[in-house]
Amino acid sequence: MGSAFGNYIDGEWMPAAAGRCFESRNPADTAELIGCFADSADEDVARAVAAARAAFPGWKGLPAPKRGEILYRAAELLVRRKEELARDMTREMGKILEETRGDVQEAIDMTYYMAGEGRRQFGQTTPSEMPDKFQMSVRQPVGVAGLITPWNFPMAIPSWKMMPALVLGNTVVIKPATDTPLSVVNLIEVLAEAGVPRGVVNMVTGSGSRVGAPLMSHPDVAVVSFTGSSEVGRQVSAACAPGFKHCHLEMGGKNVIMVMDDARVDLAVEGALWGGFGTTGQRCTAASRVAVHEKVYREFVERLVAGAKALRVGNGLDPRTQMGPCINAGQLETVERYVKTGRDEGAKLLCGGHRLASGDHAKGHFHEPTVFGDCHRDMRVAREEIFGPVVSVIPVRSLEDAIEVGNSVDYGLSASVYTQDINKAFTAMREMYTGLFYVNAPTIGAETHLPFGGTKGTGNGHREACVQALEVFSEWKSIYVDFSGRLQRAQID
Ligand code: NAD
């Protein structure tokens, strides 16, 4: 029996104004109810934004090191509760415990990192062109931040947005993905226990159209940070444009592993399995394409297929499980549609291709790990984000050919190369137009102290994590102090 969870507004848990709620169920066993969550709408968003707006002057006025200390306490609480939070996350979205522990760890790392920014947030001092004049730049918070997050990293991504926003002095209204509100409820509880004052952090649960849409277009929301599909990202961008709101978008990916003829094929296969089927392929950085040099193509494909067939698919709480379910029935159907598309366009189905519907698998949204071989770069399965356990293998003739395949899609998030030749590795690194690049490792596995994000259809020029995340949530102010006691005229006013 799942519990009931309200919105968190102005330091209080409360039901949706209309009194409605929606169910969240375990995708590995849909008989298990995770909880009933507030099914909110405009009115709830308006309340949350008003609370965040009212709390802004006080939070902005608190010295940044003090804000950092609160975040530090939150990080300590996350460490203490890590296992319990990871188990909740596996129940609510299906990925295996090893991965949900990693997700909570990302939140811990980001919270510690941003706690430290309470004592940095460096600006500049530069010499003036004039005598007796001093000048510097400082960061200032933007105001109320509206955060809209996806379900595949239910705690990591909310923390990637909340922690930099908070340490800079912004207040926050977050709308978690409809499939994964529990992990954000858990994160909010931790922040409240750590001492974040009322109104500084607010959470409104519900659908994208009824909560996300009014949040991003609310006139008192000064900055919107969104992670999700490119299709919704485009709507977010359009909603922010009329008011010239700060808008940060992190969207889809179609990432490539390039395997050269001098690669350690064993390593490349291991990387492709983990990169392609980790989180059931539901990562923005998933290695959903592998471009393999024709000289090692046969060996690579044979081993990849053997590895994919051997993966144990099941409930992520079972320590023997290597791949969990798809997030929901809709996503499972999308995967099935793409499998049909791949077959229709002539890709060779080498393994998988079906939903798993017998025994314990019948309880959830499971699909076989699926490999398509002999793919052409123009096929939809080789170009479009599927967001499921489907890997498309594309034969290539050379590194240049692999790079061309890699760069030929609309997205630009992550790429990797397997080679023993340092010249090839550096050439590929330079030529791939992506935000992330890996050598002899899969396309996944970011750390919080390097910027994260993508080019082209993946992002709009901002980055999460590291100091780059501070740019999203701050405005620069340049300050000139003239102590000459007379009018000095700058060359350009
Ligand atoms: P989604 O776009 O369907 O939803 C993302 C969020 O937007 C959810 O909270 C959703 O409720 C909300 N939303 C939906 N419609 C909306 C609307 N009309 N107005 C406002 N908000 C709306 O994406 P998803 O299915 O939750 O996540 C999967 C996608 O996220 C994939 O494309 C994946 O690549 C991407 N993703 C990207 C990154 C990255 O950093 N680049 C990371 C994780 C996931």
Side-chain angles (χ1 to χ4, degrees):
M1 188 50 201
S3 314
F5 299 92
N7 290 324
Y8 187 71
I9 299 177
D10 203 17
E12 309 280 341
W13 292 97
M14 60 181 75
R20 282 196 304 265
C21 53
F22 67 92
E23 289 182 353
S24 171
R25 291 184 174 272
N26 181 341
D29 179 358
T30 54
E32 186 191 353
L33 183 63
I34 301 301
C36 292
F37 295 84
D39 189 2
S40 316
D42 302 44
E43 201 181 327
D44 305 287
V45 171
R47 278 189 196 169
V49 173
R53 193 179 171 193
F56 179 56
W59 182 243
K60 177 185 168 187
L62 190 69
K66 298 286 172 209
R67 295 195 296 260
E69 283 166 22
I70 295 175
L71 295 196
Y72 189 89
R73 284 203 292 278
E76 300 277 281
L77 290 167
L78 287 171
V79 170
R80 229 175 291 152
R81 291 182 58 185
K82 179 173 171 181
E83 188 60 21
E84 165 214 340
L85 300 177
R87 297 187 89 80
D88 269 0
M89 193 186 297
T90 292
R91 286 170 53 241
E92 87 164 335
M93 68 77 68
K95 64 185 173 183
I96 62 173
L97 262 181
E98 194 186 335
E99 292 180 274
T100 53
R101 288 187 190 118
D103 196 303
V104 179
Q105 188 58 46
E106 287 259 335
I108 292 168
D109 294 344
M110 184 58 74
T111 309
Y112 277 129
Y113 184 94
M114 289 300 164
E117 280 306 316
R119 289 185 185 271
R120 289 188 291 266
Q121 298 183 31
F122 298 133
Q124 300 144 299
T125 59
T126 59
S128 170
E129 293 165 1
M130 316 270 183
D132 300 329
K133 196 173 169 195
F134 183 85
Q135 54 195 37
M136 61 189 165
S137 63
V138 295
R139 285 185 189 278
Q140 300 218 297
V142 189
V144 177
L147 313 179
I148 301 175
T149 53
W151 46 263
N152 61 341
F153 284 88
M155 188 171 283
I157 291 177
S159 77
W160 287 18
K161 299 185 187 305
M162 286 167 103
M163 304 314 166
L166 290 173
V167 80
L168 285 158
N170 302 277
T171 53
V172 160
V173 179
I174 183 165
K175 187 214 107 51
T178 324
D179 285 304
T180 53
L182 181 59
S183 291
V184 177
V185 166
N186 288 338
L187 187 57
I188 298 273
E189 276 178 3
V190 161
L191 286 166
E193 192 181 336
V196 171
R198 59 189 299 162
V200 169
V201 168
N202 306 273
M203 179 198 70
V204 183
T205 55
S207 76
S209 56
R210 285 203 305 279
V211 177
L215 178 61
M216 66 199 187
S217 46
H218 195 294
D220 289 339
V221 171
V223 47
V224 176
S225 179
F226 166 86
T227 299
S229 61
S230 301
E231 186 191 344
V232 177
R234 192 167 286 116
Q235 294 175 39
V236 177
S237 182
C240 290
F244 308 113
K245 274 183 199 181
H246 288 215
C247 174
H248 164 222
L249 306 171
E250 290 294 339
M251 300 170 288
K254 188 72 181 178
N255 313 290
V256 68
I257 290 180
M258 300 178 283
V259 183
M260 292 301 97
D261 51 347
D262 63 353
R264 284 258 316 266
V265 174
D266 56 336
L267 265 191
V269 168
E270 226 180 295
L273 286 169
W274 177 229
F277 300 115
T279 316
T280 321
Q282 302 169 121
R283 287 174 181 250
C284 50
T285 51
S288 51
R289 298 184 292 161
V290 192
V292 186
H293 195 288
E294 55 196 13
K295 285 194 187 147
V296 290
Y297 182 81
R298 184 183 291 271
E299 180 191 357
F300 176 87
V301 162
E302 274 173 18
R303 289 198 191 187
L304 179 69
V305 168
K309 283 182 176 167
L311 286 174
R312 284 186 299 275
V313 181
N315 190 319
L317 288 178
D318 181 340
R320 290 165 306 178
T321 299
Q322 293 170 299
M323 192 183 97
C326 296
I327 184 70
N328 54 37
Q331 198 58 39
L332 178 58
E333 281 162 20
T334 301
V335 172
E336 288 181 313
R337 264 200 312 278
Y338 269 106
V339 169
K340 180 175 182 318
T341 302
R343 285 179 134 152
D344 290 350
E345 56 191 354
K348 198 163 162 191
L349 183 64
L350 299 174
C351 69
H354 305 97
R355 70 165 65 196
L356 289 159
S358 58
D360 278 350
H361 289 134
K363 296 178 182 170
H365 309 298
F366 292 97
H367 195 278
E368 292 174 320
T370 299
V371 178
F372 276 117
D374 295 349
C375 294
H376 187 271
R377 65 196 68 182
D378 293 337
M379 288 176 178
R380 287 183 59 200
V381 286
R383 271 191 300 116
E384 297 177 12
E385 186 181 51
I386 300 173
F387 230 53
V390 182
V391 172
S392 301
V393 190
I394 308 161
V396 291
R397 292 178 307 277
S398 61
L399 177 65
E400 291 67 33
D401 199 17
I403 290 170
E404 205 182 304
V405 168
N407 278 331
S408 66
V409 293
D410 292 338
Y411 301 106
L413 185 51
S414 186
S416 97
V417 68
Y418 281 82
T419 177
Q420 298 299 307
D421 180 340
I422 191 150
N423 299 332
K424 283 186 183 153
F426 269 76
T427 302
M429 182 274 291
R430 188 187 58 201
E431 298 302 326
M432 283 307 300
Y433 186 41
T434 55
L436 307 171
F437 189 80
Y438 295 83
V439 178
N440 292 329
T443 52
I444 61 177
E447 301 191 24
T448 49
H449 41 292
L450 278 183
F452 181 94
T455 63
K456 302 194 284 187
T458 299
N460 66 340
H462 293 288
R463 292 291 185 269
E464 306 219 74
C466 198
V467 287
Q468 278 79 355
L470 302 178
E471 301 302 332
V472 173
F473 299 104
S474 53
E475 295 272 18
W476 282 106
K477 182 174 281 181
S478 297
I479 300 157
Y480 301 91
V481 181
D482 192 320
F483 52 99
S484 67
R486 61 183 189 280
L487 175 67
Q488 301 198 85
R489 292 180 59 171
Q491 284 176 358
I492 302 167
D493 278 317

